[in-house]
PDB file of all heavy atoms in Angstrom:
ATOM      1  N   ALA S1205      -0.794   8.503  14.430  1.00  0.00           N
ATOM      2  CA  ALA S1205       0.333   7.920  15.120  1.00  0.00           C
ATOM      3  C   ALA S1205       0.323   8.026  16.668  1.00  0.00           C
ATOM      4  O   ALA S1205      -0.477   8.872  17.264  1.00  0.00           O
ATOM      5  CB  ALA S1205       1.637   8.637  14.736  1.00  0.00           C
ATOM      6  N   ARG S1206       0.909   7.094  17.302  1.00  0.00           N
ATOM      7  CA  ARG S1206       0.913   7.113  18.806  1.00  0.00           C
ATOM      8  C   ARG S1206       1.682   8.194  19.467  1.00  0.00           C
ATOM      9  O   ARG S1206       2.570   8.605  18.827  1.00  0.00           O
ATOM     10  CB  ARG S1206       1.388   5.810  19.324  1.00  0.00           C
ATOM     11  CG  ARG S1206       0.630   4.571  19.004  1.00  0.00           C
ATOM     12  CD  ARG S1206       1.201   3.475  19.724  1.00  0.00           C
ATOM     13  NE  ARG S1206       0.347   2.302  19.349  1.00  0.00           N
ATOM     14  CZ  ARG S1206       0.445   1.078  19.620  1.00  0.00           C
ATOM     15  NH1 ARG S1206       1.606   0.737  20.413  1.00  0.00           N
ATOM     16  NH2 ARG S1206      -0.304   0.149  19.400  1.00  0.00           N
ATOM     17  N   ARG S1207       1.128   8.763  20.482  1.00  0.00           N
ATOM     18  CA  ARG S1207       1.852   9.806  21.144  1.00  0.00           C
ATOM     19  C   ARG S1207       2.002   9.383  22.601  1.00  0.00           C
ATOM     20  O   ARG S1207       1.118   8.862  23.175  1.00  0.00           O
ATOM     21  CB  ARG S1207       0.848  11.102  21.160  1.00  0.00           C
ATOM     22  CG  ARG S1207       1.376  12.240  21.852  1.00  0.00           C
ATOM     23  CD  ARG S1207       0.421  13.428  21.863  1.00  0.00           C
ATOM     24  NE  ARG S1207       0.743  14.358  22.879  1.00  0.00           N
ATOM     25  CZ  ARG S1207      -0.087  15.224  23.263  1.00  0.00           C
ATOM     26  NH1 ARG S1207      -1.263  15.387  22.715  1.00  0.00           N
ATOM     27  NH2 ARG S1207       0.292  16.115  24.370  1.00  0.00           N
ATOM     28  N   TYR S1208       3.258   9.667  23.139  1.00  0.00           N
ATOM     29  CA  TYR S1208       3.540   9.320  24.469  1.00  0.00           C
ATOM     30  C   TYR S1208       3.802  10.497  25.294  1.00  0.00           C
ATOM     31  O   TYR S1208       4.526  11.455  24.796  1.00  0.00           O
ATOM     32  CB  TYR S1208       4.785   8.504  24.560  1.00  0.00           C
ATOM     33  CG  TYR S1208       4.615   7.059  23.823  1.00  0.00           C
ATOM     34  CD1 TYR S1208       4.906   6.812  22.525  1.00  0.00           C
ATOM     35  CD2 TYR S1208       4.028   5.987  24.534  1.00  0.00           C
ATOM     36  CE1 TYR S1208       4.548   5.642  21.955  1.00  0.00           C
ATOM     37  CE2 TYR S1208       3.782   4.716  23.969  1.00  0.00           C
ATOM     38  CZ  TYR S1208       4.089   4.573  22.607  1.00  0.00           C
ATOM     39  OH  TYR S1208       3.926   3.385  22.031  1.00  0.00           O
ATOM     40  N   GLU S1209       3.214  10.541  26.430  1.00  0.00           N
ATOM     41  CA  GLU S1209       3.575  11.682  27.488  1.00  0.00           C
ATOM     42  C   GLU S1209       4.097  11.092  28.669  1.00  0.00           C
ATOM     43  O   GLU S1209       3.345  10.266  29.323  1.00  0.00           O
ATOM     44  CB  GLU S1209       2.186  12.469  27.719  1.00  0.00           C
ATOM     45  CG  GLU S1209       1.743  13.311  26.562  1.00  0.00           C
ATOM     46  CD  GLU S1209       2.449  14.618  26.418  1.00  0.00           C
ATOM     47  OE1 GLU S1209       3.100  15.087  27.394  1.00  0.00           O
ATOM     48  OE2 GLU S1209       2.238  15.159  25.358  1.00  0.00           O
ATOM     49  N   TYR S1210       5.325  11.443  29.064  1.00  0.00           N
ATOM     50  CA  TYR S1210       5.833  10.951  30.283  1.00  0.00           C
ATOM     51  C   TYR S1210       5.703  12.148  31.232  1.00  0.00           C
ATOM     52  O   TYR S1210       6.222  13.296  30.911  1.00  0.00           O
ATOM     53  CB  TYR S1210       7.277  10.591  30.068  1.00  0.00           C
ATOM     54  CG  TYR S1210       7.470   9.293  29.208  1.00  0.00           C
ATOM     55  CD1 TYR S1210       7.657   9.479  27.832  1.00  0.00           C
ATOM     56  CD2 TYR S1210       7.264   8.034  29.747  1.00  0.00           C
ATOM     57  CE1 TYR S1210       7.724   8.397  27.107  1.00  0.00           C
ATOM     58  CE2 TYR S1210       7.375   6.953  29.026  1.00  0.00           C
ATOM     59  CZ  TYR S1210       7.569   7.130  27.665  1.00  0.00           C
ATOM     60  OH  TYR S1210       7.623   5.947  26.854  1.00  0.00           O
ATOM     61  N   VAL S1211       5.025  12.058  32.386  1.00  0.00           N
ATOM     62  CA  VAL S1211       4.701  13.110  33.241  1.00  0.00           C
ATOM     63  C   VAL S1211       5.419  12.958  34.583  1.00  0.00           C
ATOM     64  O   VAL S1211       5.253  11.945  35.260  1.00  0.00           O
ATOM     65  CB  VAL S1211       3.136  13.133  33.467  1.00  0.00           C
ATOM     66  CG1 VAL S1211       2.837  14.317  34.415  1.00  0.00           C
ATOM     67  CG2 VAL S1211       2.384  13.311  32.117  1.00  0.00           C
ATOM     68  N   ARG S1215       0.544  18.562  36.023  1.00  0.00           N
ATOM     69  CA  ARG S1215       0.331  19.378  34.884  1.00  0.00           C
ATOM     70  C   ARG S1215      -0.917  18.970  34.132  1.00  0.00           C
ATOM     71  O   ARG S1215      -1.464  17.906  34.522  1.00  0.00           O
ATOM     72  CB  ARG S1215       1.447  19.267  33.904  1.00  0.00           C
ATOM     73  CG  ARG S1215       1.802  18.082  33.260  1.00  0.00           C
ATOM     74  CD  ARG S1215       3.006  18.063  32.486  1.00  0.00           C
ATOM     75  NE  ARG S1215       2.546  17.729  31.069  1.00  0.00           N
ATOM     76  CZ  ARG S1215       3.227  17.670  29.959  1.00  0.00           C
ATOM     77  NH1 ARG S1215       4.468  17.888  30.075  1.00  0.00           N
ATOM     78  NH2 ARG S1215       2.723  17.231  28.843  1.00  0.00           N
ATOM     79  N   VAL S1226      -3.983   4.997  27.011  1.00  0.00           N
ATOM     80  CA  VAL S1226      -3.685   4.079  28.120  1.00  0.00           C
ATOM     81  C   VAL S1226      -2.914   4.883  29.274  1.00  0.00           C
ATOM     82  O   VAL S1226      -1.771   5.530  28.828  1.00  0.00           O
ATOM     83  CB  VAL S1226      -2.867   2.929  27.699  1.00  0.00           C
ATOM     84  CG1 VAL S1226      -2.517   2.014  28.772  1.00  0.00           C
ATOM     85  CG2 VAL S1226      -3.512   2.162  26.605  1.00  0.00           C
ATOM     86  N   ARG S1228      -0.694   4.845  32.312  1.00  0.00           N
ATOM     87  CA  ARG S1228       0.103   3.937  33.176  1.00  0.00           C
ATOM     88  C   ARG S1228       0.618   4.762  34.304  1.00  0.00           C
ATOM     89  O   ARG S1228       1.390   5.764  33.984  1.00  0.00           O
ATOM     90  CB  ARG S1228       1.104   3.288  32.352  1.00  0.00           C
ATOM     91  CG  ARG S1228       0.579   2.401  31.212  1.00  0.00           C
ATOM     92  CD  ARG S1228       1.737   1.642  30.427  1.00  0.00           C
ATOM     93  NE  ARG S1228       1.131   0.830  29.453  1.00  0.00           N
ATOM     94  CZ  ARG S1228       1.308   1.065  28.083  1.00  0.00           C
ATOM     95  NH1 ARG S1228       2.110   2.097  27.804  1.00  0.00           N
ATOM     96  NH2 ARG S1228       0.717   0.241  27.384  1.00  0.00           N
TER      97      ARG S1228
END
Side-chain angles (χ1 to χ4, degrees):
R1206 291 185 180 181
R1207 176 180 161 198
Y1208 296 90
E1209 288 281 341
Y1210 296 95
V1211 180
R1215 61 183 243 180
V1226 178
R1228 294 184 183 114

